[in-house]
């Protein structure tokens, strides 16, 4: 193994270990996650959560998902303003060369329901990525990531929250290099939907990416492509 490959492998291993630790820590203490869905057709649909999900995925697509998920449809959401403020603070607090790879994961919208004969759930996830743009576009990173649009990269396989989409997002007021070294990562986990879905997962992923970029005020002029998933 070459010296360069060895360094990359060690960095990737360390990065993965940190990410797993943070995911478990976040799950244990609540972190930036939305309240966990409990289900139950008797529970009233939260108007605030429904509105948040409509902002994230678009009102028409959420209405279509509501019809598809059927009995027990329940939306769960967190304040988009709070999520934005915390993500902006994290970006502005980032400093090159001092990144400890600790991240907070946010779930701005979760939808659950009966689906077609079984439980189904759709979860939106947003975070600053532990993978920088130079890594995903070259060398070892190209074994897992593919460019789906100018500056947008998706992984070839799913992680715990679906197939991640990574793209540069420079937050005004952040340090030089933040947009590429601390890029934005979003994902949509789609569980339990069978047959021909009313709204394709990659359309939900595109909507989530565009909404989040707008919230954060990313300075890069990047068009999120429609063809995102393998």
């Amino acid at each position: 193994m070459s010296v360069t490959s060895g360094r990359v492998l060690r960095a990737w291993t360390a990065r993965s270990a940190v990410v797993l630790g943070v995911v478990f820590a976040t799950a244990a203490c609540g972190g930036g996650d939305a309240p966990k869905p409990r289900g139950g057709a008797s529970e009233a649909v939260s108007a605030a959560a429904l509105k948040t999900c409509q902002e994230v995925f678009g009102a028409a697509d959420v209405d279509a998902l509501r019809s598809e998920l059927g009995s027990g449809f329940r939306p769960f959401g967190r304040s988009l303003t709070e999520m934005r403020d915390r993500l902006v603070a994290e970006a502005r607090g980032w400093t090159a060369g001092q990144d400890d790879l600790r991240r907070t994961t946010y779930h701005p919208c979760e939808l659950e329901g009966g689906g077609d004969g079984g439980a189904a759930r759709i979860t939106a996830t947003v975070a600053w990525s532990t993978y920088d743009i130079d890594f995903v576009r070259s060398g070892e990173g190209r074994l897992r990531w593919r460019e789906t649009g100018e500056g947008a990269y998706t992984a070839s396989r799913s992680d715990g929250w679906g197939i991640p989409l990574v793209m540069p997002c420079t937050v005004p007021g952040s340090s030089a290099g933040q947009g590429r070294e601390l890029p934005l990562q979003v994902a949509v986990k789609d569980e339990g939907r069978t047959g021909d879905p009313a709204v394709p997962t990659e359309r939900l992923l595109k909507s989530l990416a565009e909404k989040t970029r707008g919230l954060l005020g990313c300075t890069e002029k990047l068009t999120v492509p429609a063809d995102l998933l393998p």
Side-chain angles (χ1 to χ4, degrees):
M1 178 183 293
S2 69
V3 173
T4 301
S5 298
R7 287 174 179 168
V8 170
L9 180 59
R10 288 195 296 274
W12 182 89
T13 303
R15 185 190 304 264
S16 299
V18 170
V19 173
L20 286 173
V22 172
V23 168
F24 292 142
T26 301
C29 68
D33 293 349
K36 294 299 180 185
R38 295 184 298 276
S42 62
E43 298 180 20
V45 171
S46 164
L50 181 62
K51 183 176 184 296
T52 296
C53 289
Q54 289 173 335
E55 290 184 37
V56 170
F57 291 136
D61 281 348
V62 171
D63 287 346
L65 289 169
R66 184 173 190 171
S67 297
E68 178 186 349
L69 296 179
S71 63
F73 172 81
R74 290 281 292 164
F76 296 83
R78 66 168 300 128
S79 166
L80 295 181
T81 300
E82 178 191 355
M83 182 183 77
R84 178 201 64 199
D85 291 347
R86 293 181 66 176
L87 283 167
V88 167
E90 290 169 23
R92 289 176 176 167
W94 174 88
T95 303
Q98 299 180 23
D99 190 347
D100 62 6
L101 299 179
R102 297 184 64 84
R103 304 286 187 264
T104 301
T105 299
Y106 302 90
H107 301 303
C109 170
E110 296 183 69
L111 299 168
E112 69 171 21
D116 185 11
R121 180 177 298 167
I122 298 167
T123 306
T125 300
V126 177
W128 293 116
S129 184
T130 57
Y131 300 99
D132 61 55
I133 296 299
D134 287 343
F135 176 81
V136 300
R137 69 187 298 269
S138 62
E140 298 285 339
R142 297 192 66 179
L143 298 176
R144 181 187 178 195
W145 299 85
R146 69 185 183 98
E147 188 169 13
T148 51
E150 187 175 352
Y153 300 84
T154 52
S156 58
R157 61 182 182 275
S158 176
D159 60 17
W161 296 113
I163 292 180
L165 166 64
V166 170
M167 55 204 148
C169 174
T170 300
V171 171
S174 63
S175 300
Q178 174 267 310
R180 294 184 62 82
E181 296 183 52
L182 186 75
L184 180 63
Q185 180 170 315
V186 300
V188 173
K189 186 174 185 179
D190 199 340
E191 304 172 279
R193 289 203 295 165
T194 59
D196 188 16
V199 184
T201 307
E202 63 184 349
R203 192 157 93 200
L204 299 174
L205 180 58
K206 176 179 170 67
S207 296
L208 173 63
E210 291 175 338
K211 178 63 180 181
T212 307
R213 292 185 65 83
L215 274 175
L216 298 176
C218 306
T219 61
E220 294 85 358
K221 303 301 182 184
L222 187 153
T223 299
V224 180
D227 184 14
L228 289 169
L229 302 181

